[in-house]
Each structure stands twice: as C-alpha cells, then as structure tokens.
Amino acid sequence: MRPLPPRNDSREPWLAALVLWRRQLTVPQFTAVTGALVIVTGTLMLATPLCSSDSVGLWEALFTATSAITVTGLSIIDVGTELTFAGQVVLAGLILTGGLGLMAITSFLQGLLQRQVGLQRHLDRGRALDEFGVGGIGATFHRILISAVAVMGLGTAVLYGFGFSDIPNRGERLWAALFHAISAYNNAGFGLWSDSLVRYHNKPLVNLVIALLIVTGGIGWRVTHELWTKRRRLLRLRQLSLHTTLVIQSTGGLILLGALGLLATEHFALDGVVANLAWWDKVQVVMFQSVSTRTAGFNTIPLSINTVSDAGLLLMITLMFIGASPGGTGGGIKTTTFAALLAATRSTLQGYTSVVIHARQIPDKTVLRAVGVTVASVLFVLMMTLSLGLGRTAGGEVSTLHFTFLEKLFTCVSAFATVGLDLGVTAQLSRWGQLVLIVGMYVGRLGILLLLSALFTARPQNRVGYPREELYV
C-alpha cells in the first residue's frame, strides 16, 4: 500500500507552537493573558453603536472595560447617558466577570483548554487561588455564585421597593436597583448617575443597603461561608478561624476609625463638605464614605480638592490603600496584610522574636509576604504618581490644567486599589495619564505577587544554608 504524502499545511507548526505555549503557561500567566483577552473583548463590544453613542471611541471603551473588569469604577464617560441600555448590560456583565473572580473563571478555562492536567497542576491551581485571593474552585465556585446571586437579588428587591422609590418608571427603577446592587456587591463603584449617590445622601435605607452589599462582597466568600455555617455559635468568637476573626475585627475597626476620622477632618475644616449638614446626615455620610472609600468607590458627597480637606483626602488614601479582604471583590493590600504588619510591629516593639495574634503564632512566610506585598505596592503607586508628572498629562496643555501632588496620589491609589473614587482628575488626563491608570487598575486587580509570578518563573527552594550576620536597622 502506497504511503500517503505528508500534508503541506503551513499553519501546523504555528498551531503546534501555540498549543505548546498555551499548555506551558502557569496559572498566573494564564490569568494575566485571559484578563487581557476579556478586556479586549469588552472593549470591542462597548465600542459598537449598539452599546454606546458616537462620543465613545475605542479608547473610551478600553478604559471603561478595564475599569469594569478590574471592578474599579473610574470612568471617562457618563455611563448613564453615553452607554445605551445594551451597553449598560454589557458593563454589568464585565463587572460580574471581574468581581466574582476573574482568576476563578480563568482556572476553569485553563482546566478546559489545557488537557492532561495532573495532580500537581490541580494543586498549583488551588494554591494560586488561595494565595491570590479569589476564594475557591470547583463546587465552591458554584456556591459563591449562588450566594452572590441571592445577596444581589435581595439588595435589588429592597432598592426597587423602597430605596429608589423616587424613580417613577418601574422599568428604569428595576434596572437602577439591579445595576447598583451588582456594582455595590462587586465593589465596582459604577453608577448610572453622574453624581454617583449624592442625591441619596440623606436616605438611610439606600445608604444601608449599598453599604451592606459592599461589606458582604468585600470580606470574601471564605468569611461569609464560615459565618453562615457557624451562625448559631457566632457569640463564641473562639469557634471562628483566625482569618475570619481578623477580617471581622479589622473591617469593623477600619469602618469605625474611618468614619470618626472623616467626621473630625470635615466637621472642623473651613467650609467642610459636611459642615452644614444635620448631625444625623453627617453620621450617615461619614459612615457610608468610610465603607465605600476602602473598596467600592461610591460617594454621597461631592469629591474634589476644594470640597474635601487635605487631612480628609490623606485619610481616604490610607483607607483605599488598605482595601478589602482576601477573597473579596475589592482591592488594596488587604485587611489581613495590614493586621499582620501591625502585629509584627507590636512584636518588634515588645522584643518578641515571633508574631502572635490571638494566641496563634503567624508563620514567618506569611509575615514576609505581608511586607513584600506592602513594599511592592507602595513602590508601584509611587511609580504611577511619578509617571503622571511626566509630559503633558492634563488635557495635553501643561499651562491650562495643573494637578496637585495630592490629587495625583489620590487618583493613582484609587486606580491601584481598584476603588474608583475620583476628584475630577481622570477625565481631564491626557491619553498618557489615562494609560498609567489603566495599567495601575490591571496590576492592582491581578495583584503584585501574581504579576511577578507571571513575569518570572518560580525558582525551586534553595536548600543551601548561609551564615548569619547582624544588620543594624
């Protein structure tokens, strides 16, 4: 029998190389690539006439899609007027994709595309999800999805029935309730109105529902699952894991301290934004802003360098940088990282050689990780702020617009921590400045450690010991 001649297909080597490259990607690399592909897809969808008006080009669509996938909320367009209903639906879908776990979804895609996945790959995937903060895989992700739908559905029902009762059209009211519930739970900060939620600053129900959605999404699935399963023993704090205990304590403490701090800075500031409000309205505003500043990006007071004091802006920068909790939908260095740093500082001042929290010794690896995340994040934010000062970053004209250092730092931290609060700077930046924010949002959502893991292949543990020597610090 005559052998068949070899097929002359010029695409085969290229396809083979592509398949080989795809299968060799690590979890962090695959996550970074998938995130970029989702952003590109969202950009092309938002730029179509079906989704947006003529004023929205590819650049505006790219910035908006990146902000949605990274659940940031910074925007250079008016979502309520420049996006059609279809565009707003696409935007909500992008928020859900980024908020419910871009990395968890990536894990499923990787398992689907990369055949012959062995035990080590499964272990690597699970370890990556635990370390980089998405909360679980497999059946756990299904439970995450179900609980998220339930919480967002309940929030939508309350906002529709009681919160947004001032909207006469039922269809518009339902969509407003659903969109803001999705945005709040996923800590995105996108709103359908140009003033965010300023019009509802004195409506307790709207403030309460949005804040609860933000906190529920921000503390992470691991914490909400444990609270639900141990709901009958919640008064016994020892029954909770150290992670859950730290998340609850740090979240509650930061909300309270942030509210008291904002009340102090803005009440005593000259022409403070809350100075003329009644005391109950002041309490509502500072409590809501303390919750939203750390993770979500909604605002019930006008935000600008002229309406908020420098002390208040510095406090908000600190809250944004700390951010949400591991496994949550928010960004920042995470509350547990901040708690570990405080515990390490306390142990150092007391002369201890180990870090102990609630009678539990924290591994040195965890402390080093907390230090690494914080230092790398600080350096990256400083690089972003420095980059905004290069070239014509304000509308292309250096002489017409000038941003203060505090405005630049605030905007960069807001982008990196995926918060989305804006002092009116973002839309006035040049393409270069907005590109800096795009990169910052993407890196902030992926995380510094995941980005470094994607860029550099992990090296095997060095088993060679080295002599010790003191270093004076």
Side-chain angles (χ1 to χ4, degrees), residues 34-45:
T34 304
L37 292 177
V38 174
I39 290 174
V40 171
T41 304
T43 299
L44 296 177
M45 294 177 67

Side-chain angles (χ1 to χ4, degrees), residues 20 29 36 49 64 73 94 111 170 191 193 202 215 217 232 271 276 295 297 305 338 340 353 423 438:
L20 180 62
Q29 290 171 344
T64 306
L94 294 175
R170 293 186 177 182
W193 306 297
N202 59 351
V215 172
R232 297 180 180 178
D271 299 324
N276 296 325
T295 55
I305 196 71
F338 182 65
T353 57
L423 299 178
I438 288 176

Side-chain angles (χ1 to χ4, degrees), residues 395-413:
E397 294 292 337
V398 179
S399 59
T400 57
L401 290 174
H402 175 70
F403 299 130
T404 65
F405 171 76
L406 196 57
E407 287 179 301
K408 295 177 183 178
L409 180 63
F410 186 97
T411 305
C412 289
V413 173

Side-chain angles (χ1 to χ4, degrees), residues 110-252:
Q110 189 176 30
L112 188 65
L113 296 176
Q114 294 180 332
R115 306 297 181 183
Q116 302 176 354
V117 177
L119 176 61
Q120 185 60 44
R121 180 58 58 85
H122 280 292
L123 294 176
D124 291 342
R125 190 187 310 165
R127 189 182 301 113
L129 289 173
D130 285 338
E131 290 182 357
F132 301 122
V134 278
I137 57 176
T140 303
F141 181 72
H142 293 157
R143 291 195 291 268
I144 294 174
L145 186 61
I146 292 173
S147 64
V149 170
V151 173
M152 288 186 291
L154 180 61
T156 300
V158 176
L159 289 175
Y160 173 80
F162 307 98
F164 295 154
S165 56
D166 58 314
I167 302 177
N169 186 287
R170 293 186 177 182
E172 293 180 3
R173 190 197 316 170
L174 178 60
W175 175 239
L178 177 60
F179 184 90
H180 285 88
I182 292 174
S183 185
Y185 181 81
N186 292 281
N187 284 217
F190 278 101
L192 296 178
W193 306 297
S194 58
D195 63 349
S196 189
L197 296 175
V198 174
R199 65 186 67 184
Y200 295 107
H201 75 275
N202 59 351
K203 293 201 68 171
L205 186 61
V206 174
N207 284 257
L208 179 62
V209 172
I210 298 294
L212 288 177
L213 287 170
I214 293 171
V215 172
T216 304
I219 61 178
W221 155 257
R222 187 181 290 110
V223 175
T224 55
H225 178 68
E226 184 174 351
L227 291 177
W228 176 254
T229 55
K230 298 180 179 180
R231 57 189 180 278
R232 297 180 180 178
R233 296 174 291 173
L234 286 182
L235 295 179
R236 305 175 185 176
L237 293 179
R238 293 184 179 179
Q239 298 292 330
L240 299 176
S241 65
L242 177 61
H243 173 81
T244 298
T245 302
L246 276 182
V247 167
I248 293 174
Q249 290 179 344
S250 58
T251 300

Side-chain angles (χ1 to χ4, degrees), residues 131 246 321-322 326 332-345 355 357 362-378 448-449:
E131 290 182 357
L246 276 182
F321 187 74
I322 296 173
I333 63 172
K334 309 301 182 185
T335 54
T336 50
T337 300
F338 182 65
L341 291 176
L342 291 181
T345 303
V355 179
I357 303 177
I362 307 302
D364 293 341
K365 179 181 178 180
T366 302
V367 178
L368 288 175
R369 179 184 173 84
V371 173
V373 168
T374 305
V375 172
S377 299
V378 169
I448 286 290
L449 294 187

